[in-house]
Amino acid sequence: MSHARSGDSPGVSTGVAHGTEGADPHRWWGLVVIALAQLMVVLDATIVNIALPSAQRDLGMSDGNRQWVVTAYTLAFGGLLLLGGRIADLVGRKRTFVIGLVGFAAASAFGGAAHSPGMLFGARALQGVFAAVLAPSALSLLTTTFTDPRERGKAFGIYGALAGSGSAIGFIVGGLLTEYLNWRWCLYVNVPIAIIAVAGATALLHDRPGHTGARLDVPGALLGCGGLVAIVYGFSEAQPRGWSDPLVLGLFAAGAVLLTAFVVWQNRAPSPLLPLHIVKDRNRAGSFLTMALATVAMFGLFLFLTYYLQVILGYSPVRAGLGFLPLTVAIIIGSTQISARLLHRVPPRLLMVPGTLLAACGLLLLTRITVHSSYPTEILPALLLMGLGMGLTFMPVFATATAGVAPQDAGVTSATVNTSQQVGGSVGTALLNTIATTSSAAYLTAHLHDPAQKAAVVPQAVVHGYTAAIWWAVGVMLLASLVAGLMVTAKPPKHDAPTKTPVPEPVT
């Protein structure tokens, strides 16, 4: 396992020695602080889903624009994650950790006080910006605090379990806060968490100072993030304007040009955000693409199911949050009890392909939902299939993407997997929301002949829009399965030549 990369001093200022002698006696409390910050970042991707119907009513958001509450966060987070790691290198990891916490709390308070959709969208984007600084700093501090291999494995296990359960916690906490306080507390809740984490970080965490040799690829960040924003904005504008509208086509063209310029610049940049040799490896590129496509399908589904359970079936926010719990439990079971046991015995694609096919079957079941569907017989089986499928898929994706990379590339490779996940979620939420709202409007136009029938036809139109979008999600998930089957050709790890694969570190 790698402890530090060339040019870095071995360990933190407390002097972590080999084994645990001389190690920081407060390091496990430090882990609590780091995990608390990571949990805040992860659950914030889902906590607002449950609150979104209430926020939409309160602020008067349109159906076409509501997706920006989700995508503004994931887009800023994913688009700036690589740059955030470089900033941590330059400024120092503890300092950027604290800056990220303070900024995230301030953005959360700003969003909780929002009195217009634009103010909420802006606050969510700011949360994403500070999350992109906070997340790599947290993982860097974890890596440098625990240098003993046995302790590091235990620490990463605890950290991973908390991060993995963040989505479930987000759904449940979001439901409780929305139902018993109001949706604004889904944002305000980050303020006390951040205050506790800042106090803990100041007292417990140690770090060497940043090094001036690190360079920021600001042009790369602007080109990459700008291209993604243009494409997502194009998808959102397609709903009110139509797919052939000049503005929509112009946004797609601008996005393509900016992303092409990003690739060209990465070949020339002195310190590229994404060294292109990382994505030229067939297995790694296949893993990144599989992750992006799978999350395109899954993130959009979270949005639809939230509205379906609360608006169509009339669930309370708490009941809707608990309704997602089987999905998260199934993901954990698929990941820890199936994938983890088979990962070293079978080729990765023999887990990824069945996993994505299983998830596609779950999505296929959801295309049959109606305004009167039953949760136990129609929703629950679909959630269990999707959860098991995603659990089977995610672990081999991460393992394959980070296997065999050079120590100096371990961080940027890990960050790229996370970036593909966030970007896939952003694009998927915007695309599928546009398909759903467009299909609902078309159904309403075709079937609403008598205004007196509106109360009965509108819910049918909404559900029709959801099922139309879920059909597209099925297609995207099948494409993910095809990509995994054709591109990921790696053998089981035990059949490969022995390599000194480092523990994936955060981007630095």
Side-chain angles (χ1 to χ4, degrees):
M1 292 186 184
S2 67
H3 300 275
R5 296 203 285 272
S6 58
D8 290 342
S9 57
V12 292
S13 58
T14 48
V16 179
H18 296 291
T20 58
E21 289 186 20
D24 180 2
H26 303 299
R27 62 193 179 282
W28 291 104
W29 282 109
L31 172 62
V32 173
V33 173
I34 294 167
L36 191 64
Q38 178 64 15
L39 181 64
M40 185 174 69
V41 169
V42 172
L43 69 83
D44 234 71
T46 57
I47 193 171
V48 297
N49 271 281
I50 296 297
L52 195 47
S54 299
Q56 183 179 1
R57 286 193 302 269
D58 195 13
L59 299 180
M61 286 180 229
S62 69
D63 287 348
N65 284 337
R66 68 189 177 194
Q67 52 88 15
W68 281 107
V69 176
V70 177
T71 53
Y73 178 78
T74 56
L75 198 56
F77 187 13
L80 297 174
L81 190 59
L82 294 168
L83 186 66
R86 298 287 186 194
I87 292 172
D89 241 10
L90 184 64
V91 178
R93 291 160 182 173
K94 178 179 175 179
R95 187 177 298 172
T96 52
F97 182 77
V98 172
I99 290 170
L101 283 169
V102 172
F104 198 91
S108 299
F110 183 62
H115 53 74
S116 68
M119 187 174 172
L120 181 57
F121 302 156
R124 291 288 287 164
L126 270 178
Q127 281 185 307
V129 170
F130 285 106
V133 173
L134 180 59
S137 303
L139 205 49
S140 295
L141 287 166
L142 184 68
T143 304
T144 54
T145 300
F146 294 91
T147 56
D148 177 76
R150 287 171 299 177
E151 282 199 348
R152 178 183 278 195
K154 185 178 179 181
F156 267 88
I158 295 169
Y159 178 88
L162 280 171
S165 61
S167 59
I169 294 171
F171 284 123
I172 295 168
V173 171
L176 289 168
L177 292 173
T178 302
E179 186 160 342
Y180 295 111
L181 294 171
N182 63 51
W183 66 267
R184 297 177 185 277
W185 278 96
C186 291
L187 294 161
Y188 287 144
V189 71
N190 292 318
V191 176
I193 294 175
I195 290 171
I196 294 169
V198 167
T202 304
L204 299 169
L205 298 180
H206 306 275
D207 185 31
R208 53 187 174 275
H211 53 82
T212 55
R215 299 181 65 179
L216 299 181
D217 182 15
V218 176
L222 292 174
L223 289 170
C225 202
L228 293 170
V229 168
I231 288 173
V232 171
Y233 188 41
F235 283 134
S236 69
E237 286 297 305
Q239 187 267 326
R241 295 174 179 270
W243 292 97
S244 59
D245 183 82
L247 176 64
V248 173
L249 296 176
L251 286 167
F252 288 147
V257 168
L258 287 170
L259 291 177
T260 302
F262 170 78
V263 173
V264 172
W265 172 251
Q266 294 306 287
N267 265 324
R268 301 177 180 178
S271 298
L273 273 183
L274 178 60
L276 293 184
H277 67 266
I278 289 173
V279 295
K280 288 179 180 177
D281 177 85
R282 176 174 180 162
N283 290 301
R284 207 164 288 127
S287 297
F288 294 151
L289 194 52
T290 300
M291 174 62 83
L293 290 169
T295 51
V296 163
M298 294 300 292
F299 270 59
L301 181 73
F302 289 158
L303 182 68
F304 301 142
L305 272 185
T306 296
Y307 274 85
Y308 178 74
L309 292 175
Q310 291 189 57
V311 177
I312 303 300
L313 297 187
Y315 281 26
S316 68
V318 170
R319 192 179 176 193
L322 290 172
F324 280 97
L325 194 56
L327 175 72
T328 306
V329 171
I331 288 175
I332 293 172
I333 291 172
S335 178
T336 61
Q337 302 304 311
I338 303 176
S339 268
R341 296 173 188 271
L342 296 177
L343 193 58
H344 298 288
R345 301 181 183 180
V346 300
R349 66 176 169 184
L350 289 189
L351 293 172
M352 294 183 198
V353 173
T356 46
L357 287 176
L358 207 58
C361 289
L363 288 167
L364 197 60
L365 289 180
L366 286 178
T367 61
R368 303 173 59 192
I369 59 173
T370 68
V371 293
H372 303 297
S373 288
S374 164
Y375 178 89
T377 59
E378 296 175 71
I379 312 293
L380 181 59
L383 292 178
L384 293 174
L385 284 175
M386 286 187 293
L388 285 173
M390 288 296 92
L392 277 173
T393 304
F394 286 158
M395 182 170 277
V397 164
F398 274 102
T400 306
T402 56
V405 297
Q408 66 270 20
D409 291 331
V412 72
T413 304
S414 299
T416 305
V417 182
N418 289 318
T419 298
S420 65
Q421 185 177 21
Q422 297 296 331
V423 169
S426 303
V427 172
T429 303
L431 172 62
L432 296 181
N433 185 69
T434 294
I435 292 170
T437 50
T438 304
S439 299
S440 294
Y443 183 95
L444 199 59
T445 302
H447 292 81
L448 185 59
H449 306 298
D450 182 358
Q453 297 176 327
K454 187 174 182 179
V457 176
V458 168
Q460 294 173 2
V462 170
V463 173
H464 173 78
Y466 295 164
T467 56
I470 293 170
W471 272 112
W472 278 81
V474 171
V476 173
M477 193 65 80
L478 290 175
L479 183 58
S481 183
L482 186 63
V483 167
L486 295 178
M487 292 185 68
V488 181
T489 57
K491 298 176 181 178
K494 71 174 185 178
H495 296 307
D496 288 336
T499 58
K500 294 182 180 180
T501 304
V503 171
E505 297 179 21
V507 59
T508 54

